């Protein structure tokens, strides 16, 4: 092969040479060359070795969908060399060939070919089972595919949402015409083209085609209503016209995933030329007519010296003229519309001779086939269409489409450029009209008071576009490759049929035909036809192919997009950062785990006073006459007699009786309550309340506002907490004026609108101050400033967790799990089964009757130095009797402490337990009388 | 990704909503176990039109009754529980 003189439609820029390497050797191409065209221009004929037999393979389609042109570029495997443009200094190498393309050691498989029948691997490497790992290692070395770079270079990927009225998939003549006329009708249009340039088959056509291309693409590119995406692919159409586009060539990112909600989708994806099955059909030098036309007309590459052409259609005949113009000697034209055909191509590393059906042998290094077209119906299929095979035209045609999907161009039928454009034009106008109908439905879904002009309801008349008559040509009288990616031959399909795989779906899975990276685009129709031939049925007529997304392989990077993970911070975060708090990911929140020394933080709280930022605590403001009814329903305990100024602890269960949240709720005024929930459960509780209020009890007078972010929350804990808080507020803090489990509102550090409640998660005297969040940091800093002489110290989640464990307070989700029902957690007293109704009541009733549930217990190991890891099993012999749910070394007690769930027969105080550690060692432990390891009487808390 | 025509917010992507499934009536708290467990766990799972509940959690936060064809995902009438607010 060699480079031709300038071609009128060439896409290469001869002023910009590109130096790159192929298998370590230097090569030169031009800007605009694909990797394949640049190599072909330099005489490269063999591009890869096949998957199973390691046969030499060359250019077949010269497009994205060429199964033989998968190469390695740098550390990127499986690059489509028929599509990817060559770049300066690009390092390209062949895949699946060792030690080299010319001599491939694994080519020994070719000799074994007659043994590599379908199911060969299943049948051969079945036994003995003990050798499976060895088989796996050896076979993995024979598998195709490139090498994934181990250097985790992060690519740059992006996502975007788009809301076009009309999206046109395919930038051929009909697609361009549709885009122009939809935009002319006022629609916002996106036009997506898989290749690097608009034009479809016009690009490699004659001067009339090139003239039409220039006119259409100029109109498209200059129209302000059309956004053009080239080198981009519509990978799928999902429900309600949710369309995914992998967009390449965007500045600043490697790839971008566009998620488009399309009001009307126009599918103009055209056709893909079908290979022909005969002996030697995979030899380098056997090419489709579109491949040679691309090479000659787009890249000015002479595809061979002496050609035989098998043609059954007009475009195939045009290839003959192109070949002659390119100086290729056309040795023989075999007209496949008659009885003649090709029997065999022969040669070792490429075509050397062709034998036709009359038995004549032609010397040739190029065999061009033009035997038919496969409609690219993937998107239609995803839109619910079931395209049917039309034998007269030897292709699948659309049967029925939903209202918001239209088709135009080669996928519908054949015609002159004018006919294609006329069809596209009408479809474009109709698409714009249907988009306006959808838009009208959407805009009028909500009553806005705006009067809108109803859309035009009269359909645009679309001129017919008929699929031309075409002979059905799938296989010659010899056997050849059907699926090039997977090395599946027509003989394999016959063998599968003979073995009883008479269903195409089963034969597909057995032979792996259609299952390679080309996903059946080239070979699916041949496979179905040949399977039909083998089984004596005519499945094409009754079959339809199911195409699933993605249409073409997409990178995982583009699906992942940017690494966005929104997080939430408390308003006190700037202080935490200054003090280099160790960050802890707690759900969507980032919280201080500790400030360097959690043990010292515990000591400060137990001996003096500490403050902790508990702003993520869920807070819901509840107002109205019926709030007590709501509380009675969602909590297991009673709420009707909660006086103003009091708070109460409550547990919420789902309707299956499983605990899902806990917290305190206080009554701030006659009809005003403040509910708190766990930090992680805040959203769930809010939704839960909304659900009951809207769907269960719509008549109740309850106004609910989520105010989690409205208040910064600071828990002041420790023996000096009363003194410290007293220095910042006028609220009467004396025990007789503000008792345990009470709430007060007032001014703190000059900030009005605060509320405080006296609760004690840590087991110490403590006040939880809730400050309007704009002043959270201010109050935090005042507490530290005013408490300096009192020994105040900030503490983090870890110190709080240690102290609550010392105190025996459980954490929902830590000490409970998705099956833990209300009873057994030490708060059975709070479950009021005598209430007429509450969420989960029946299940809790039955749970109490069964009395078989695990109990939460405070547990101490006999060896005080051993801290059993959380989730350690509690065992009796080999029977699991429970598990450790929380464990820590207690700085206060100087020993290991645990909470755990234990079977009822081992839950009694004093029971001896055996805890199995992860290393298999079992340690002895015992159950305590109270949940609290420390201060079980609660004297500190209530002081 | 479906489009749901929220009667308050207009056409919105379904990922703004939380799917609550078939609408099941809550039996009384004195129900027998079979009735209660049917309420908790048993669903009709029809292939065809059904009215189901969606919660526009990232929108108006209203619970909606949505007619949907479970095979084609076609959406019919959408009404807020308790009427438009």
């Amino acid at each position: 092969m060699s480079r031709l003189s300038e071609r009128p439609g060439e896409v290469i820029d001869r002023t910009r040479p590109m130096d790159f390497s192929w298998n370590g050797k230097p090569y030169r191409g031009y800007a605009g060359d694909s990797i394949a065209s640049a190599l072909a221009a330099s005489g490269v004929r063999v591009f890869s070795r096949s998957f199973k037999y390691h046969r030499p393979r060359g250019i077949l389609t010269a497009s994205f969908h060429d199964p033989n042109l998968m190469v390695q570029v740098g550390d990127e495997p499986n690059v489509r060399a028929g599509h990817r443009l060559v770049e300066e200094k690009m390092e390209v190498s062949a895949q699946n060939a060792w030690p080299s393309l010319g001599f491939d050691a694994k080519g020994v498989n070719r000799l074994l070919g007659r043994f590599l029948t379908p199911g060969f691997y299943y049948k051969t490497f079945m036994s003995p089972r003990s050798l499976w790992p060895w088989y796996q290692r050896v076979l993995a070395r024979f598998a195709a595919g490139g090498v994934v770079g181990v250097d985790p270079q992060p690519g740059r990927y992006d996502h975007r949402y788009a809301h076009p009225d009309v999206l046109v998939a395919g930038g051929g003549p009909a697609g361009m015409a549709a885009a122009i006329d939809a935009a002319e009708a006022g629609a916002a249009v996106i036009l997506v083209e898989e290749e690097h340039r608009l034009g479809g088959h016009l690009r490699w056509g004659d001067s009339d085609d090139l003239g039409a291309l220039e006119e259409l693409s100029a109109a498209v590119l200059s129209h302000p209503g059309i956004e053009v995406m080239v080198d981009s692919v519509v990978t799928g159409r999902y429900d309600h016209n949710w369309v995914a586009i992998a967009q390449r060539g965007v500045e600043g990112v490697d790839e971008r995933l566009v998620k488009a909600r399309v009001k009307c989708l126009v599918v103009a994806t055209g056709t893909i030329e079908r290979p022909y099955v005969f002996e030697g059909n995979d030899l380098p030098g056997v090419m489709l007519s579109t491949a040679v036309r691309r090479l000659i007309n787009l890249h000015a590459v002479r595809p061979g010296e002496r050609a035989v052409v098998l043609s059954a259609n007009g475009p195939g005949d045009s290839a003959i003229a192109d070949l002659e113009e390119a100086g290729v000697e056309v040795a023989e034209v075999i007209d496949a519309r008659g009885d003649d055909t090709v029997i065999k191509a022969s040669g070792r590393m490429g075509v050397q001779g062709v034998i036709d059906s009359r038995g004549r042998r032609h010397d040739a290094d190029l065999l061009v086939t033009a035997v038919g077209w496969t409609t690219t119906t993937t998107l239609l299929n995803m839109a619910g269409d079931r395209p049917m095979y039309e034998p007269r035209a030897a292709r699948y045609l659309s049967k029925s489409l939903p209202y918001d999907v239209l088709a135009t161009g080669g996928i519908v039928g054949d015609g002159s450029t004018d006919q294609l454009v006329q069809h596209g034009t009408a479809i474009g106008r109709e698409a714009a009209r249907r988009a306006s109908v959808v838009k009208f439905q959407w805009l009028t879904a909500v009553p806005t008071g705006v009067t809108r002009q109803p859309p035009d309801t009269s359909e645009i008349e679309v001129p017919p576009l008929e699929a031309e008559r075409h002979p059905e040509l799938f296989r010659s009288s010899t056997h050849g490759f059907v699926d090039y990616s997977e090395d599946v031959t027509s003989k394999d399909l016959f063998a599968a049929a003979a073995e009883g795989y008479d269903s195409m779906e089963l034969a597909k899975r057995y032979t792996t035909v259609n299952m390679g990276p080309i996903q059946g685009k080239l070979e699916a129709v041949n496979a179905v036809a040949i399977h039909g031939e083998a089984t004596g049925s005519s499945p094409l007529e009754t079959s339809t192919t199911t195409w699933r997304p993605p249409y073409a392989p997409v990178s995982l990077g583009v699906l992942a997009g940017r690494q966005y993970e929104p997080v939430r911070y408390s308003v006190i975060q700037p202080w935490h950062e200054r003090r280099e708090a160790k960050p802890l990911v707690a759900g969507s929140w980032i919280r201080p785990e500790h400030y360097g020394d959690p043990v010292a933080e515990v000591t400060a709280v137990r001996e003096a006073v500490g403050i902790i930022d508990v702003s993520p605590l869920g807070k819901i403001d509840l107002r109205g006459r019926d709030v007590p009814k709501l509380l009675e329903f969602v909590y297991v305990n009673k709420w009707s007699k909660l006086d103003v100024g009091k708070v109460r602890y409550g547990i919420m269960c789902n309707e299956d009786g499983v605990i899902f949240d806990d917290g305190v709720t206080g009554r701030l005024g006659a009809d005003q309550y403040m509910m708190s929930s766990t930090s992680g459960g805040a959203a769930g509780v809010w939704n839960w309340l909304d659900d009951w209020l809207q769907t269960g009890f719509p008549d109740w007078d309850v106004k609910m506002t989520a105010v989690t972010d409205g208040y910064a929350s600071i828990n002041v804990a420790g023996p000096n907490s009363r003194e410290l808080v007293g220095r910042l507020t006028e609220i009467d803090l004396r025990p007789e004026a503000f008792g345990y489990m009470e709430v007060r509102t007032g001014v703190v550090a000059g900030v009005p609108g605060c509320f405080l409640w006296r609760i004690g998660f840590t087991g110490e005297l403590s006040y939880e101050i809730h400050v309007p969040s704009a002043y959270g940091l201010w109050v935090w800093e005042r507490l530290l400033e005013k408490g300096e002489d009192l020994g105040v110290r900030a503490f983090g989640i870890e110190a709080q967790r240690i102290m609550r464990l010392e105190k025996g307070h459980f954490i929902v989700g830590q000490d409970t799990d998705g099956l833990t029902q209300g009873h057994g957690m030490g708060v059975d007293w709070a479950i009021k089964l005598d209430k007429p109704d509450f969420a989960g009541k029946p299940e809790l009733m039955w749970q109490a009757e069964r009395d078989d549930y695990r109990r939460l217990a405070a547990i101490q190991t006999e060896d005080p130095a051993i801290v059993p890891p959380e989730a350690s099993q509690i065992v009796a012999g080999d029977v699991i009797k429970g598990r450790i749910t929380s464990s820590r070394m207690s700085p206060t007690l100087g020993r290991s402490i645990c909470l755990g769930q234990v079977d009822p027969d081992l839950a009694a105080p004093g029971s001896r337990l055996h805890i199995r550690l992860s290393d298999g060692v079992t340690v002895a432990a015992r159950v305590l009388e109270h949940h609290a390891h420390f201060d079980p009487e609660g004297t500190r808390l209530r002081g | 990704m479906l489009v749901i025509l929220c009667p308050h917010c207009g056409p919105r992507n379904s990922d703004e909503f939380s799917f609550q499934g078939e609408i099941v009536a809550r039996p009384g708290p004195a129900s027998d176990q079979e009735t209660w467990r049917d309420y908790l766990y048993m669903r009709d799972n029809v292939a065809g039109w059904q009215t189901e509940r969606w919660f526009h959690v990232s929108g108006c936060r209203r619970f909606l009754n949505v007619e949907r064809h479970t095979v084609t995902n076609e959406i019919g009438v959408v009404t807020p529980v308790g009427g438009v607010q």
Side-chain angles (χ1 to χ4, degrees):
Chain A
M1 298 188 208
S2 61
R3 194 73 79 171
L4 302 165
S5 57
E6 197 172 333
R7 304 286 303 162
E10 71 180 26
V11 296
I12 50 171
D13 181 353
R14 294 180 192 244
T15 64
R16 287 171 60 208
M18 295 280 163
D19 289 310
F20 67 105
S21 71
W22 165 243
N23 294 327
K25 294 199 189 86
Y27 281 83
R28 174 170 283 188
Y30 294 119
D33 257 326
S34 67
I35 294 171
S37 70
L39 288 172
S42 304
V44 172
R45 216 174 176 208
V46 178
F47 285 79
S48 65
R49 287 286 182 158
S50 74
F51 178 65
K52 214 156 72 177
Y53 304 123
H54 292 264
R55 292 170 63 89
R57 292 277 167 84
I59 293 177
L60 179 68
T61 76
S63 69
F64 185 89
H65 304 290
D66 197 318
N68 302 340
L69 301 183
M70 310 272 276
V71 297
Q72 178 94 22
V73 173
D75 64 357
E76 184 183 357
N78 304 322
V79 171
R80 309 292 180 97
H83 174 82
R84 181 72 63 88
L85 299 185
V86 75
E87 286 169 28
E88 186 68 20
K89 295 201 172 78
M90 204 177 221
E91 289 176 7
V92 188
S93 54
Q95 293 181 173
N96 202 25
W98 182 85
S100 75
L101 265 180
F103 175 79
D104 182 344
K106 292 171 223 156
V108 68
N109 272 5
R110 290 164 75 180
L111 307 175
L112 298 171
R114 62 197 187 93
F115 302 112
L116 288 178
T117 50
F120 170 77
Y121 290 95
Y122 305 133
K123 291 167 184 165
T124 310
F125 299 103
M126 190 52 95
S127 59
R129 203 187 161 101
S130 58
L131 285 181
W132 280 14
W134 183 78
Y135 290 151
Q136 192 191 353
R137 276 201 305 278
V138 173
L139 294 178
R141 243 177 261 165
F142 272 71
V147 181
V148 179
V150 288
D151 183 19
Q153 272 194 346
R156 287 164 307 165
Y157 299 95
D158 213 352
H159 284 184
R160 174 194 158 190
Y161 290 91
H163 306 271
D165 295 323
V166 173
L167 186 136
V168 182
M176 287 193 287
I180 294 164
D181 273 75
E184 281 296 305
V189 179
I190 292 179
L191 173 61
V192 184
E193 168 54 46
E194 183 179 37
E195 307 225 6
H196 296 273
R197 287 168 187 245
L198 295 173
H201 68 269
L202 294 182
R203 290 174 303 155
W204 53 81
D206 59 21
S207 57
D208 287 348
D209 290 339
L210 291 174
L213 164 59
E214 198 172 323
E215 202 175 305
L216 285 165
S217 67
V220 166
L221 296 170
S222 65
H223 203 294
I226 305 174
E227 181 181 358
V228 179
M229 298 180 185
V230 290
D231 188 17
S232 302
V233 60
V234 175
T235 67
R237 185 270 183 193
Y238 303 85
D239 288 312
H240 300 180
N241 265 352
W242 180 245
V243 174
I245 305 155
Q247 187 186 10
R248 291 178 286 259
V250 184
E251 207 171 321
V253 289
D254 295 328
E255 266 184 296
R256 176 194 271 166
L257 181 69
V258 181
K259 306 177 196 179
R261 178 69 71 190
V262 179
K263 293 178 198 81
C264 188
L265 173 66
V266 176
V267 181
T269 46
T271 57
I272 289 179
E273 193 171 20
R274 225 161 32 227
Y276 188 49
V277 179
F278 57 93
E279 188 178 346
N281 69 337
D282 69 324
L283 278 173
V286 178
M287 293 188 201
L288 306 186
S289 74
T290 42
V292 299
R293 301 190 74 195
R294 281 167 182 268
L295 286 173
I296 295 168
N297 295 327
L298 299 182
H299 302 293
V301 174
R302 180 184 296 125
E305 300 300 327
R306 194 176 145 87
V308 172
V309 181
L310 174 73
S311 175
N313 50 49
D317 299 341
S318 300
I320 299 165
D322 287 338
L323 285 165
E324 281 168 348
E325 233 180 281
V328 180
E329 185 191 342
V330 179
E332 183 72 22
V333 174
I334 302 168
D335 193 334
R337 282 158 287 210
D339 292 331
D340 292 337
T341 188
V342 164
I343 300 294
K344 181 181 177 180
S346 58
R348 212 180 66 82
M349 292 299 286
V351 176
Q352 286 164 322
V354 176
I355 296 169
D356 68 19
S357 51
R358 299 183 189 199
R360 295 177 301 175
R361 186 183 187 283
H362 310 276
D363 281 336
D365 64 345
L366 179 62
L367 170 56
V368 181
T369 67
V371 298
W373 310 95
T374 299
T375 40
T376 319
T377 56
T378 312
L379 291 174
L380 302 182
N381 224 288
M382 292 175 197
D385 193 5
R386 291 284 170 269
M388 290 302 292
Y389 180 72
E390 171 52 57
R392 203 182 56 84
R395 68 175 85 155
Y396 283 87
L397 293 173
S398 172
K399 217 173 100 194
S400 68
L401 286 169
Y403 184 77
D404 53 4
V405 179
L406 293 164
T408 185
I411 201 168
V412 175
D414 303 298
S416 65
T417 305
D418 281 349
Q419 285 172 312
L420 290 169
V421 167
Q422 278 161 19
H423 191 269
T425 296
I427 288 291
R429 286 209 204 108
E430 176 63 5
R433 192 193 66 79
R434 292 195 188 182
S436 70
V437 171
V438 172
K439 199 172 189 171
F440 182 78
Q441 278 172 2
W442 287 3
L443 288 174
T444 50
V446 185
T448 56
V450 179
T451 317
R452 292 180 193 279
Q453 187 79 27
D456 188 356
T457 51
S458 50
E459 269 195 36
I460 308 277
E461 201 181 316
V462 179
L465 195 61
E466 295 290 333
E468 277 171 13
R469 186 174 286 279
H470 197 289
E472 291 181 278
L473 295 165
F474 309 110
R475 186 175 80 90
S476 180
S477 55
T478 48
H479 283 297
F481 283 87
V482 178
D483 185 332
Y484 297 76
S485 320
E486 293 280 308
D487 263 359
V488 181
T489 64
S490 50
K491 209 172 186 174
D492 295 333
L493 289 171
F494 272 78
E499 285 185 51
Y501 291 91
D502 53 2
S503 140
M504 181 59 210
E505 287 305 310
L506 293 179
K508 170 183 163 180
R509 280 148 186 87
Y510 186 53
T511 61
T512 71
V513 71
N514 298 355
M515 290 170 75
I518 303 303
Q519 300 170 285
K521 288 182 188 66
L522 292 176
E523 66 277 12
V525 174
N526 283 344
V528 176
I530 291 164
H531 180 258
E533 194 191 339
T535 52
S537 58
S538 53
L540 272 173
E541 277 79 352
T542 51
S543 82
T544 181
T545 43
T546 305
W547 302 95
R548 296 182 185 85
Y551 166 72
V554 291
S555 66
L556 293 176
V558 78
L559 296 179
R562 283 196 212 180
Q563 299 291 307
Y564 274 135
E565 204 174 332
V567 294
R568 301 171 79 183
Y569 291 111
S570 134
V571 296
I572 303 167
Q573 179 65 14
W575 192 91
H576 304 321
E577 269 170 28
R578 283 202 298 277
R579 295 308 161 100
E580 291 172 358
K582 181 171 183 240
L584 174 79
V585 179
S588 57
W589 292 89
I590 307 292
R591 309 184 61 178
E593 185 173 348
H594 56 75
Y595 303 87
D597 188 352
V599 170
E601 290 167 17
V602 170
T603 310
V605 175
R606 292 276 183 238
E607 291 174 1
V609 60
I611 62 173
I612 179 170
D613 178 2
V614 291
S615 299
L617 204 69
K619 286 155 290 227
I620 296 173
D621 186 311
L622 296 165
R623 300 184 193 207
R625 211 174 45 247
D626 295 319
V627 174
K629 282 189 191 167
L630 175 69
L631 300 177
E632 284 275 314
F633 187 82
V634 296
Y635 282 127
V636 297
N637 51 333
K638 288 196 177 172
W639 291 84
S640 48
K641 292 197 185 84
L642 185 72
D643 293 330
V644 174
K646 297 283 187 189
V647 297
R648 191 169 287 171
Y649 172 75
I651 287 176
M652 289 188 196
C653 291
N654 282 313
E655 288 278 66
D656 57 5
V658 170
I659 297 174
F660 87 95
D661 207 78
D662 68 345
V664 299
T665 292
R667 191 172 181 188
L668 306 187
D671 282 344
Q672 189 194 349
Y673 293 77
M674 186 67 73
M675 174 185 282
S676 71
S677 69
T678 62
S679 306
V685 169
W686 187 25
N687 296 348
W688 181 244
L689 299 189
D690 245 330
D691 194 349
W692 287 112
L693 286 173
Q694 288 181 48
T695 70
F697 314 108
D699 301 333
W700 285 0
D701 173 31
V702 179
K703 302 275 182 290
M704 172 168 67
T705 315
V707 293
T708 300
D709 297 306
Y711 290 95
S713 304
I714 303 165
N715 192 296
V716 186
N720 293 342
S721 59
R722 180 175 290 126
E723 170 65 25
L724 173 55
V725 176
R727 292 178 183 182
L728 290 171
T729 181
E730 299 294 314
I731 297 167
D732 188 350
L733 300 178
R734 288 172 302 135
E736 58 273 28
F738 187 178
Y740 179 59
M741 297 304 273
E742 290 191 342
V743 60
R744 297 290 179 269
T745 54
V747 179
V748 177
V751 181
C754 299
F755 68 94
L756 296 75
W757 49 41
R758 250 194 85 181
I759 53 172
F761 196 46
T762 57
E764 294 296 326
L765 170 69
S766 73
Y767 299 85
E768 200 156 277
I769 311 176
H770 303 273
V771 187
S773 46
Y775 298 98
L777 182 56
W778 161 264
V779 171
W780 176 266
E781 287 178 332
R782 294 294 78 68
L783 284 163
L784 289 165
E785 182 187 292
K786 299 282 181 192
E788 215 176 328
D789 60 311
L790 299 173
V792 70
R793 181 169 185 147
F795 66 104
I797 301 291
E798 178 56 19
Q800 187 192 44
R801 289 205 152 201
I802 293 171
M803 287 186 279
R804 70 90 202 176
L805 182 57
E806 290 175 340
K807 184 60 189 167
H809 287 145
F810 69 85
I811 294 177
V812 175
Q814 168 82 33
D815 303 293
T816 73
D817 59 37
L819 292 174
T820 307
Q821 292 182 305
H823 290 99
M825 296 306 290
V827 287
D828 296 11
W829 50 267
I831 301 172
K832 301 299 185 193
L833 294 174
D834 59 337
K835 288 203 292 186
D837 193 9
F838 60 90
K841 178 185 170 185
E843 289 294 346
L844 292 172
M845 213 168 60
W846 297 321
Q847 186 205 9
E849 281 167 15
R850 285 195 313 272
D851 197 25
D852 60 349
Y853 45 88
R854 282 189 178 161
R855 268 69 165 173
L856 188 74
I859 298 165
Q860 290 186 354
T861 49
E862 284 182 359
D863 180 343
I866 295 175
V867 182
E870 287 165 355
S872 295
Q873 302 292 352
I874 295 162
V875 296
D878 281 333
V879 181
I880 296 171
K881 302 290 284 179
R883 69 172 198 287
I884 300 297
T885 57
S886 296
S887 62
R888 286 291 187 280
M889 178 56 70
S890 161
T892 313
L893 302 172
R895 59 153 300 123
S896 125
I897 55 170
C898 308
L899 274 176
Q901 284 198 21
V902 195
D903 277 351
D905 56 318
L906 286 177
S911 297
R912 233 177 101 85
L913 302 179
H914 299 281
I915 302 167
R916 185 164 294 166
L917 307 182
S918 52
D919 59 5
V921 173
T922 301
V923 297
R926 67 181 177 85
V927 175
L928 304 198
E929 189 177 347
H930 299 282
H931 280 184
H933 296 265
F934 173 70
D935 188 28
E937 298 77 26
T939 47
R940 302 172 71 89
L941 195 64
R942 293 163 198 277
Chain B
M1 181 88 74
L2 311 184
V3 175
I4 294 175
L5 292 180
C6 173
H8 303 109
C9 311
R12 308 299 303 171
N13 277 352
S14 54
D15 64 353
E16 288 183 2
F17 297 77
S18 145
F19 178 63
Q20 310 276 303
E22 287 173 28
I23 298 171
V24 276
R26 183 176 192 262
S31 305
D32 59 39
Q33 236 174 42
E34 199 183 327
T35 310
W36 187 262
R37 300 262 159 96
D38 275 358
Y39 155 66
L40 286 181
Y41 305 118
M42 300 307 282
R43 299 295 180 265
D44 292 337
N45 196 25
V46 299
W49 283 102
Q50 72 171 9
T51 304
E52 55 200 21
R53 189 152 288 154
W54 291 71
F55 175 34
H56 199 183
V57 62
S58 301
C60 58
R61 288 190 63 83
R62 306 311 294 178
F63 284 78
L64 310 170
N65 292 337
V66 176
E67 289 176 5
R68 183 177 66 98
H69 195 285
T70 59
V71 178
T72 64
N73 270 335
E74 196 182 335
I75 305 275
V77 177
V78 181
T79 43
V81 178
V84 176
Q85 313 233 332

